Amino acid sequence: MRRATIFALSLSVLVAALPQPGRAQIFKYTDERGQNSYVDGLENVPERYRAVALPLGFRNLPAALPSKDAAATARPSGTTMIKYTPGQRIMVDVKINGGVTSQLLLDTGADRTMISPRVLTAAGVSITKPVATGQITGVTGTDKISYVVVDSLEVGEARVGKMPVGSYELAGTGTGDGLLGRDFLDQFNVNIDGGKGVLTLSPR
C-alpha cells in the first residue's frame, strides 16, 4: 500500500528490535490537510515538505524473533470489514486466544504486533518466559521488550494462529493496548477504501 493511504498510523517507529546498523531515521511531516505522516529517511519525505520535516530520533528496526519451528504461524482464515473515520487512526478490536478482547492501533508501518503485558496476562499468556527479547530505541533512550507466543489473534472473522507478539506497554500514545502490525496484516490482503472509511482483510 502507498504511504499516503495508511493515514499515518503513527507508531511504526516503536517497532521492537535488536540493534542493526545503517537503518534510516524516522521523519514526521504534516501535509496541507493537517495530516501527519511518518516515513523512513528524509529522502522519502515529499520534496515540498522536507524543509519542515521533523526527525524523531527513532530508527525503524526489524525485530529478531524465534524461528518458525519455535512458533509456527497457522494458516490465516476469515474475511472481515472494519469501519473507521477517514483521516483518523484505525483502532480495531482484537481477540486474543479466543477470549480476551483488546483495542489495538492498526499500523501498517509496524513490523511487529505489540500488546500490553496486562492484556496478555489476562488472556492467559505467560509473560515471564519469553521466546525472544529485543530493544526499542527512541528519543528517551533504549528499552527492553520481550516476545511471547499467543495461540491466536482474531479481528472479526480474520484469524491467525500461533504467532509471537511483543509484550510491551505503550504509554500515553493513543494506541489503546498496543499495535497490530504487519506480522498479522501481511497474512491477509488489505484493502482500504478511504472514501467510504472501510478496511477489508481477506486471506491471501
Side-chain angles (χ1 to χ4, degrees), residues 90-94 101-106 119 175-179:
I90 303 177
M91 304 299 297
V92 295
D93 291 326
V94 180
T101 298
S102 67
Q103 191 172 67
L104 304 181
L105 171 64
L106 187 150
V119 174
T175 59
D177 296 317
L179 304 177

Side-chain angles (χ1 to χ4, degrees), residues 162-199:
K162 284 185 179 295
M163 62 175 282
V165 300
S167 174
Y168 190 79
E169 192 77 53
L170 296 172
T173 54
T175 59
D177 296 317
L179 304 177
L180 185 66
R182 291 201 309 270
D183 48 356
F184 180 91
L185 298 172
D186 284 354
Q187 299 183 63
F188 297 88
N189 292 309
V190 181
N191 180 61
I192 295 180
D193 188 331
K196 295 181 179 179
V198 174
L199 181 146

Side-chain angles (χ1 to χ4, degrees), residues 41-193:
L42 185 62
E43 69 276 7
N44 289 318
V45 177
E47 188 171 354
R48 63 184 179 279
Y49 302 126
R50 288 180 185 174
V52 295
L54 177 66
L56 297 181
F58 293 105
R59 294 184 185 275
N60 196 7
L61 303 176
L65 292 178
S67 68
K68 290 184 179 180
D69 291 336
T73 300
R75 184 176 180 84
S77 62
T79 297
T80 196
M81 295 178 63
I82 301 166
K83 293 185 178 181
Y84 67 94
T85 302
Q88 301 297 315
R89 295 175 175 180
I90 303 177
M91 304 299 297
V92 295
D93 291 326
V94 180
K95 186 179 292 186
I96 304 167
N97 289 353
V100 171
T101 298
S102 67
Q103 191 172 67
L104 304 181
L105 171 64
L106 187 150
D107 191 341
T108 59
D111 292 334
R112 304 296 176 189
T113 294
M114 292 193 291
I115 303 175
S116 166
R118 58 184 169 75
V119 174
L120 291 170
T121 299
V125 180
S126 175
I127 63 174
T128 61
K129 297 180 180 179
V131 295
T133 58
Q135 294 178 329
I136 291 175
T137 302
V139 292
T140 59
T142 298
D143 201 1
K144 294 181 179 179
I145 185 169
S146 298
Y147 287 94
V148 296
V149 175
V150 297
D151 291 331
S152 65
L153 288 181
E154 300 172 63
V155 178
E157 298 298 318
R159 182 183 186 277
V160 169
K162 284 185 179 295
M163 62 175 282
V165 300
S167 174
Y168 190 79
E169 192 77 53
L170 296 172
T173 54
T175 59
D177 296 317
L179 304 177
L180 185 66
R182 291 201 309 270
D183 48 356
F184 180 91
L185 298 172
D186 284 354
Q187 299 183 63
F188 297 88
N189 292 309
V190 181
N191 180 61
I192 295 180
D193 188 331

